[in-house]
Amino acid sequence: MTLTVGGEDKELSARLDRELTAFNQAATGASDEAELSVRATDDDGEIIGGLTGWTWGGLGGVSMLWVRDDQRGTGLGTKLMRAAEDEARRRGCDRMIVSSFSFQAPPFYRRLGYVETGRSEGIPGGNVDVHFSKSLEPSATAAFQLAVLLDYPADAPADAQAYEEKALSLLPRHGGRLERRLRTADGLSEVHLLRFPSEDAYRAYLADPDRTPDGRVTARVLEVTEVYG
């Protein structure tokens, strides 16, 4: 017997893939393993982002997700994930998994409804590998949740609070509700945790003709998330 230690070994990798695939199929009875990819290109055909992964026995997995620097913050990452999830559903998958280093995109996956299932310590730089899972069942519909900080004018806090009460009364009209409300002791600031059935419902609330903005109230969105359950 001879042991050879080295770098990339394409022949060895191909053999291991064949052998382990056969073993896994025999052990699980699932023989539908397939590659999955989503490619995004610009008008010139240049790749600006993409996703690779796989599906197998009702489970979908994301291996790599990348968005070009100048495209980050445009929503492309979300579109790539949605396309992958839709294709996984089409292939009969009811769940999806992905891992992300702590310096990469755990908050991004949480916003898309992924739930942390574990962590692997020891990643260089004191980081961890965060593991996520998400149900793809139709019943697992995402709700749109946001935290809003409101600052009231010091000369008329009571009037501003009255205005906000009126605005909050419009929430049920759009399927929204106030999950939590926190007010500072001086009455000049509040934090509202709001929940809507969808982002469209939230936008409809903002555009409600009976919700006339009060220029004395400063509102800042602190966090936006998609939640399940």
Side-chain angles (χ1 to χ4, degrees), residues 167-179:
L168 291 173
S169 70
L170 301 175
L171 286 171
R173 182 183 296 182
H174 305 281
R177 68 174 184 259
L178 179 64
E179 297 274 288

Side-chain angles (χ1 to χ4, degrees), residues 211-222:
R211 185 182 174 277
T212 305
D214 187 326
R216 298 171 299 173
V217 179
T218 301
R220 289 173 286 170
V221 176
L222 301 178

Side-chain angles (χ1 to χ4, degrees), residues 37 94 105 121 151 165 191-192 201 215 220:
S37 67
D94 60 9
E121 305 287 339
D151 292 320
E165 292 287 351
V191 174
H192 295 171
R220 289 173 286 170

Side-chain angles (χ1 to χ4, degrees), residues 159-216:
D159 290 345
Q161 290 171 10
Y163 159 77
E164 194 57 32
E165 292 287 351
K166 180 180 179 181
L168 291 173
S169 70
L170 301 175
L171 286 171
R173 182 183 296 182
H174 305 281
R177 68 174 184 259
L178 179 64
E179 297 274 288
R180 195 171 183 185
R181 184 177 188 176
L182 301 173
R183 180 179 295 173
T184 57
D186 60 10
L188 297 181
S189 297
E190 290 190 6
V191 174
H192 295 171
L193 184 62
L194 304 175
R195 182 172 177 140
F196 293 86
S198 67
E199 183 175 358
D200 288 341
Y202 167 60
R203 300 299 176 190
Y205 166 71
L206 293 181
D208 192 308
D210 291 331
R211 185 182 174 277
T212 305
D214 187 326
R216 298 171 299 173

Side-chain angles (χ1 to χ4, degrees), residues 62-164:
V62 176
S63 301
M64 293 186 290
L65 172 66
W66 171 79
V67 174
R68 202 171 68 188
D69 287 350
D70 63 329
Q71 295 296 316
R72 292 175 184 172
T74 66
L76 177 55
T78 297
K79 292 178 181 178
L80 292 169
M81 287 296 297
R82 296 298 193 214
E85 291 171 358
D86 288 345
E87 177 60 16
R89 288 190 188 92
R90 191 190 67 79
R91 297 183 186 185
C93 296
D94 60 9
R95 57 205 181 283
M96 201 89 168
I97 60 174
V98 64
S99 292
S100 178
F101 293 144
S102 51
F103 58 84
Q104 291 179 323
F108 166 74
Y109 292 112
R110 291 190 181 97
R111 287 195 296 272
L112 295 183
Y114 285 78
V115 177
E116 182 176 330
T117 58
R119 295 188 169 206
S120 297
E121 305 287 339
I123 303 303
N127 293 287
V128 298
D129 193 9
V130 187
H131 311 294
F132 294 97
S133 179
K134 175 182 176 179
S135 172
L136 298 180
E137 294 284 3
S139 59
T141 303
F144 190 77
Q145 184 170 279
L146 64 156
V148 182
L149 172 64
L150 301 169
D151 292 320
Y152 298 143
D155 59 343
D159 290 345
Q161 290 171 10
Y163 159 77
E164 194 57 32

